Structure formats: structure tokens, C-alpha cells
């Protein structure tokens, strides 16, 4: 099988690509290489914008996996317009192009961020997606556009992932467990914005497993699937990181607990992915921390801007962000919404 990973030189792709090679697949990557290239030599890398791809360039691939786009709220808030192009238009365009080129399956990297703010409910794929901020909206739009292309000859699978954490050769230190680990090791403190907020956490090893399960699923399978290693409050995540760092590194850290309002709060069930795709997560937060400990020497220069997506995006974008009056009004509206949700909770 020949697979194209769009955005495959990023955080997840740098873990997934070697695993696909080990399974005997031919793997190509198309990527703008904003974060460099840490892929194995056996992966052919095409440095190109996805929106510049042509139908002819996709002929011959069996599957296309979309891992590209802007990956978090800070990037989306910094440039909402590019967020909607990269996260909404780009995946829909690539699905359309792949189908015309004779590709048999398209796998889209969606996000549990589409659920927005929920009131202590366990959400499945039929639950309402009520995100009210640019990143979550754009991921839902990209998902919707891609899903419209599916038919009996073209399978589309969207993976709504929890917050991915763990070590990757293309490292990130702006993800909740990774961030807590960094500050625990360098500053002796773990900062908690709001201990009551729920998040589904997805270990990067489980994330790679989810993509492999999607790629190797029966050709007749299409659909949307939640994938997470488990649901945790942010306070619970901090406790796990604190205890793991103490056990594994003999470091005593203190917890800095705040109660900042948040516009995201959700927990999800991965039962559908388990039943249909055979996705069975195996990693715990302790496993994530152990992986970070084992590889710490490879990313110990924690101030490296390449480890923080928003810093790299600002450098690549090259345009200072100017906040308009409309942006300011939208920011105030989001704060009011968060405060309202917090009061209800």
C-alpha cells in the first residue's frame, strides 16, 4: 500500500511514519516543513503547500491521511483567517482531489475540540458539536467537508482526537502533559489553570495506533470516531504528572492551582472506535511521562521556539498581529461565554 501523509513531518506524523514503514507500507509526506524534517530517510518528502497539489500528483496513492493545518487555539486566535483556510478549506479540498485521483480512503485528523463546552456529560459521536471559537469551528468544517466526499468507492474516516501528549522527534512542549512535565523539571512547579476542567488525553503512541487502525480498517468503513486514552480533569492530570516525576526522577514539585475560566470542557467515549476500528488504547499518563523522561536529553533545550507551535507560526507568518475592534469585541464575548459556563457548572 502507498500512503501519503499530508502534514506528515509534524508532531504526530514523525511518530506515525516510522510505524507505517515497519508495517511494510510505502510512505510519502507532503509538508511545508515549518518545523524541520525528523523523518526516516525511507520517507519521500515533498515540500509543498497542500493547496498547490494537483490531481495528477495524487494518482497512485491508496490512502491519504490529513495531519496538516493549524493545530491549536493560540494559532487559530492569532490568525483566524488562515485557520479557516488551513483547517476547513484545505482538508475538504484534499479529500475532493484524492477522490478524483482514485484514492480509496481518506483519513482526517479531527479534534474533540469540536464539542466546545459540555456540562459533565460523556459525549459520543452523535452528541452535539457546539464549539464557539475559531479552532473548534474550523475543525468541524474540515470534517464536514471531507465527509461529504465519501461513497461506496471512497472511504472517509475522521478521528476526533483528545489532546495528544508524549514524545515525538518533532517535539512539542505546548501540550498539557508535556507542558506540565517541562515546568516540573525546569522550575519545580506544575501550573494548573483550572483543576475542574475535563479533557480527553491521547498518548501519542495511542494516537499512532488509532491512525493505523483507521488505515487498516475494512474498505467499507467510513465515519467519525472519538479517540482518547482516557478522560481526566486538569487537576487529576497535574497529580499524575507530579507523582510520576517524583517516582521516576526523584523530583519534588509543587502545584500552583488557579481557577481560570475556560471555553472548553468535555469528556468523550471511544467505544465506537473500539467496536468498529479495533482501537484499544494502552497508555496512561504515567506512560506518557516515562516516555518524556526517557527522551528528555533530546529536547532539554526547552526554550527552543520550534517546540512551541505559536512561536514558529508567528515567525513563519511574518506579520505582526493587529487586534481590531471586532477582534477585541469577540474576545470579550468569549470571556463572557466562559464565565457563564463556569457559573452554570
Amino acid at each position: 500500500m502507498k500512503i501519503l501523509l499530508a502534514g506528515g513531518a509534524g508532531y504526530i506524523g514523525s511518530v506515525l511514519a516510522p510505524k507505517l514503514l515497519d508495517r511494510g507500507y510505502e510512505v510519502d509526506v507532503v509538508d511545508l516543513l515549518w518545523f524541520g524534517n525528523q523523518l526516516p530517510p525511507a520517507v519521500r518528502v515533498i515540500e509543498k503547500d497542500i493547496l498547490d497539489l494537483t490531481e495528477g500528483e495524487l494518482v497512485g496513492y491508496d490512502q491519504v491521511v490529513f495531519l496538516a493545518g493549524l493545530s491549536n487555539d493560540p494559532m487559530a486566535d492569532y490568525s483566524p483567517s488562515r485557520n479557516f483556510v488551513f483547517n476547513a478549506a484545505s482538508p475538504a479540498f484534499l479529500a475532493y482531489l484524492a477522490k478524483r485521483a482514485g484514492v480509496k480512503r481518506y483519513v482526517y485528523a479531527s479534534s474533540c475540540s469540536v464539542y466546545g463546552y459540555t456540562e459533565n456529560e460523556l459525549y459520543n459521536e452523535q452528541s452535539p458539536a457546539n464549539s464557539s471559537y475559531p479552532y473548534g469551528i474550523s475543525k468541524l468544517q474540515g470534517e464536514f467537508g471531507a465527509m461529504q466526499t465519501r461513497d461506496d468507492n471512497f472511504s472517509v474516516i475522521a478521528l476526533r482526537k483528545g489532546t495528544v501528549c508524549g514524545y515525538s522527534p518533532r517535539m512539542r512542549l505546548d501540550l498539557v502533559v508535556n507542558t506540565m512535565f517541562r515546568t516540573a523539571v525546569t522550575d519545580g512547579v506544575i501550573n494548573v489553570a483550572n483543576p475542574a476542567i475535563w479533557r480527553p488525553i491521547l498518548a501519542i503512541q495511542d494516537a499512532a495506533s488509532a491512525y493505523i487502525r483507521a488505515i487498516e480498517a475494512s474498505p467499507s468503513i467510513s465515519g467519525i470516531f472519538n479517540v482518547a486514552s482516557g478522560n481526566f480533569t486538569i487537576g487529576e492530570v497535574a497529580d499524575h504528572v507530579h507523582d510520576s516525576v517524583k517516582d521516576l526522577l526523584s523530583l519534588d514539585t509543587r502545584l500552583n492551582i488557579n481557577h481560570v475560566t475556560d471555553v472548553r470542557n468535555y469528556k468523550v467515549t471511544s467505544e465506537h472506535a473500539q467496536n468498529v476500528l479495533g482501537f484499544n488504547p494502552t497508555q496512561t499518563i504515567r506512560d506518557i511521562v516515562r516516555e518524556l523522561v526517557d527522551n528528555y536529553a533530546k529536547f532539554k533545550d526547552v526554550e527552543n521556539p520550534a517546540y512551541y507551535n505559536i512561536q514558529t507560526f508567528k515567525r513563519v507568518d511574518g506579520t505582526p498581529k493587529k487586534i481590531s475592534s471586532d477582534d477585541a469585541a469577540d474576545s470579550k464575548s468569549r470571556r463572557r461565554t466562559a464565565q457563564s459556563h463556569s457559573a452554570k457548572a
Side-chain angles (χ1 to χ4, degrees):
M1 186 186 293
K2 188 175 181 181
I3 301 171
L4 178 66
L5 303 181
Y11 180 61
I12 293 176
S14 295
V15 173
L16 176 61
K19 291 180 180 293
L20 293 175
L21 291 175
D22 288 344
R23 300 175 85 82
Y25 299 129
E26 182 179 350
V27 180
D28 291 350
V29 163
V30 57
D31 198 293
L32 287 172
L33 301 181
W34 286 359
F35 304 95
N37 177 8
Q38 289 79 35
L39 294 164
V43 176
R44 185 172 75 99
V45 178
I46 307 159
E47 188 172 357
K48 193 170 190 176
D49 191 317
I50 289 169
L51 293 175
D52 292 331
L53 288 172
T54 64
E55 180 181 327
E57 290 176 288
L58 297 186
V59 171
Y61 289 105
D62 297 288
Q63 299 199 28
V64 172
V65 180
F66 185 95
L67 299 171
L70 302 189
S71 63
N72 59 14
D73 288 294
M75 298 174 84
D77 291 341
Y78 177 77
S79 181
S81 59
R82 297 189 76 180
N83 164 70
F84 283 106
V85 171
F86 292 165
N87 288 348
S90 184
F93 167 73
L94 188 59
Y96 165 78
L97 209 62
K99 183 176 181 178
R100 288 177 58 90
V103 174
K104 296 303 181 184
R105 167 167 286 151
Y106 184 79
V107 182
Y108 172 60
S110 189
S111 169
C112 288
S113 291
V114 301
Y115 293 120
Y117 195 103
T118 69
E119 296 289 348
N120 196 32
E121 294 181 48
L122 189 65
Y123 267 37
N124 62 28
E125 294 79 1
Q126 283 71 51
S127 300
N130 291 322
S131 177
S132 60
Y133 45 92
Y135 178 69
I137 294 170
S138 68
K139 295 302 289 185
L140 187 62
Q141 289 178 317
E143 180 184 291
F144 180 82
M147 295 305 296
Q148 299 313 297
T149 63
R150 62 181 171 174
D151 60 25
D152 291 341
N153 299 310
F154 187 66
S155 163
V156 179
I157 293 176
L159 299 180
R160 289 180 177 171
K161 302 187 303 298
T163 301
V164 185
C165 301
Y167 172 74
S168 167
R170 195 264 106 170
M171 191 54 186
R172 287 182 62 181
L173 292 175
D174 53 2
L175 299 160
V176 60
V177 176
N178 299 6
T179 298
M180 288 182 178
F181 173 80
R182 171 182 62 83
T183 60
V185 171
T186 60
D187 303 328
V189 63
I190 296 173
N191 296 305
V192 179
N194 187 328
I197 292 296
W198 283 92
R199 287 286 188 279
I201 301 297
L202 180 61
I204 196 165
Q205 298 300 327
D206 285 337
S209 174
Y211 281 102
I212 291 169
R213 296 283 78 79
I215 289 167
E216 296 180 349
S218 168
S220 63
I221 292 176
S222 287
I224 298 167
F225 300 88
N226 293 334
V227 288
S229 302
N231 297 291
F232 306 88
T233 65
I234 297 301
E236 191 180 5
V237 172
D239 288 339
H240 283 301
V241 174
H242 173 274
D243 294 345
S244 298
V245 166
K246 184 175 183 178
D247 292 344
L248 298 172
L249 292 174
S250 299
L251 289 178
D252 234 346
T253 57
R254 65 180 180 86
L255 298 177
N256 178 31
I257 307 294
N258 298 285
H259 293 272
V260 179
T261 55
D262 200 310
V263 295
R264 293 182 300 151
N265 182 55
Y266 39 80
K267 48 187 174 179
V268 304
T269 172
S270 301
E271 185 177 356
H272 186 46
Q274 292 170 338
N275 291 337
V276 177
L277 300 180
F279 168 69
N280 289 288
T282 62
Q283 302 291 295
T284 65
I285 292 178
R286 184 182 176 87
D287 292 326
I288 296 172
V289 175
R290 183 183 296 277
E291 186 181 39
L292 295 173
V293 169
D294 291 344
N295 291 278
Y296 182 54
K298 300 173 186 175
F299 62 90
K300 64 189 305 181
D301 55 331
V302 297
E303 300 301 324
N304 187 336
Y307 299 154
Y308 305 88
N309 280 10
I310 185 60
Q311 293 187 33
T312 298
F313 182 47
K314 287 180 178 179
R315 175 180 56 80
V316 171
D317 188 61
T319 304
K321 175 63 175 173
K322 297 179 179 179
I323 300 178
S324 68
S325 57
D326 288 342
D327 291 334
D330 180 63
S331 178
K332 290 179 181 177
S333 174
R334 287 180 61 187
R335 285 198 296 272
R336 285 195 298 269
T337 300
Q339 290 165 357
S340 173
H341 285 311
S342 180
K344 292 178 182 178

